[in-house]
Amino acid sequence: MAAAAATVRRLSATEIKRAVEGLSGETQRILSDLVRFASFTDERAAQEYVHDLLHGLGLQTKKITVPAERLRTHPGFSPVDRAYSAERVNVVGTWQPRQTARGRSLAINGHIDVVPVEEATLSQWTQPPFEPVVRDGWLYGRGAGDMKGGFVAGLIAFKALRSLGFSPAARLEFHSVLEEECTGNGALAVVTEAAGVHCAEAVLIPEPLRGILSAQLGVMWITATVVGKPVHVLDTAAGINAIDGCFKLWTGLQALEEHWNSAAYRATIPGAAPYAGLAHPINFNLGLINGGAWASSVPSSCTAHFRVGFFPGLTAAAVREAVEANLAATAARFGINYQLQYDGFQALGVDLTTLPTSSVGQLLAHAHETVTGTPADFAPATCTTDVRAYALFSPQPTQATCYGPVARNIHGIDEAVSLASINDVASVYALFISEHCQLEEYAPTLQRQL
Ligand SMILES: [Zn+2]
C-alpha cells in the first residue's frame, strides 16, 4: 500500500483546471441534455439519462425507489398525498478503488427535480425554459442553476481526474435524487438504504448557494383549509368568506414570522446563532391558494399552502405547536373554522458548526482558495437542502455540506448558471477528491470487471 501510494504524484491545480477546461464542450452538452428534461413532475426520463451516463463512466449503478411504507415513521420523512411508483427512482453510481482504499469515501449528491414554470410567466422567458441556450458564458434554462449545473460539475471533476490518468483511491458515489424541492424523500431513501451502505465520510452537494454551507433553516409546509358559509353577496354579513379567512390566517402568521426574526426571540434559540449577520433569515410564504367558485357568491371553502422557515435545533413538534397556537388565536378572533394538514416538507434545520474546523471544511476551503484565488466563505442558507438527510440521519459518521456554482434567477424567469463557475467548482471538487479520497492510477479494464 505504501509503495503504491508513493508512485502517485500530486496533481497541481493548474493541471486540473486545464483538464476541466478541456472538457468544457462536454460540460455544456451534458448540462443541455439534462435541462431539456422537464423533470418537475416526472423525472423518470432524466434519471434514465443519468443512469446511462454513470454506467458509461464505468460506475456500478443502482436504482433506489422511495420505500414510503418503511420510511413513513422516520423523522426525516415528509408525508405526501401520492404513492411512489417503482419507476420513480433515485440513481446511485459507485466507483470503487482498485486497491484497498487509502483515502476517505465521498458522495456527491444532486437533485434531478426542478421547480415548475408558471404558465403565466412563460412569455417572459427570453427562450423556452426547457430549451437551453448559452449566452455570454451563462447557460439558461429551468434547472440549469438549481441544480443540474452543479451535478455536472461533480461529474466533470471525476472525468477530469480520469483524463489525467487518475481515479479516486477511495469509494466515490454520485447520488441523483428525487424531490429535493418538495420533500427530500429521495435523499432520505438513499441515505437509509441497506443500513447506510451509500453514506460516505464526506458528502458534497453542489447547490448554487453562496460560499460553503454552514447552516440551513428548517422548512415546513402547512395546508390550511378554511370552511366558510356560502351566501349571495347582497347579504355578505350572513356568510363567512373562506378566502378572506385564509388571508386573515396569513396575516396572523406574518406576525409570527416577524417575531421569529426579532432579536428577543433569537436570543432564546441557540440555532439562531449562525444567522446573526442576517436581518431577516426567517421567511414565511403563502405560495398557493385555491378557493371560491363565483364572483358574486361568498366562497365556502379555501385552501392555503404556507411555507414556514425556522431555526436549526427546533423540533418539528415545537414548530407545529407555535404555528397552531398562532392560527388558533387568529381563528378565535375572527370566528374562522379551519382544518390543518401537513404535507410536503417537514424538514428540520441543520447547524454545521464544526464544519470550518473539520478536515472536510478545511480541504474544501483550501481547494476553493487554490482554484479561485479568493478565500472561502462559510455561509448560512435561509432555505433547506438535502444536506439534512445526510447530516441528521446518516447511519454512518459523515460531514455533509453544499458548495456549488454561481446561478441566477433560480426558481424564477430566465434561470441561468455561469459556465465559468461550473469549471471552477469542477476543479475544486477534483482537488478535493485528490486530497480527501486520494488518487490511484486509473485502470479502466479492472473497473469494467466489477
Ligand atoms: Zn436545489
Side-chain angles (χ1 to χ4, degrees), residues 58 95 98 162 165 167 441-450:
W95 175 267
R98 177 161 43 100
R162 288 240 305 238
S167 53
E441 278 165 23
Y442 171 46
T445 49
L446 281 167
Q447 279 294 329
R448 278 197 213 104
Q449 289 164 14
L450 286 171

Side-chain angles (χ1 to χ4, degrees), residues 105 107 171 173 175 190-191 196-201 390 394-396 398:
S105 55
R171 179 169 54 90
E173 300 220 351
H175 300 168
V190 173
V191 167
V197 72
H198 296 294
C199 296
E201 285 154 279
Y390 298 90
S394 168
Q396 313 292 338
T398 190

Side-chain angles (χ1 to χ4, degrees), residues 395-410:
Q396 313 292 338
T398 190
Q399 181 75 67
T401 188
C402 290
Y403 172 83
V406 177
R408 59 189 183 202
N409 302 335
I410 59 170

Side-chain angles (χ1 to χ4, degrees), residues 111 113 145-147 180-181 205-209 384-386 410-411:
H111 62 83
D113 57 314
D146 188 11
M147 63 161 284
E180 188 273 350
E181 299 285 4
I205 305 185
E207 287 275 16
L209 302 169
T384 185
T385 76
D386 275 339
I410 59 170
H411 295 214

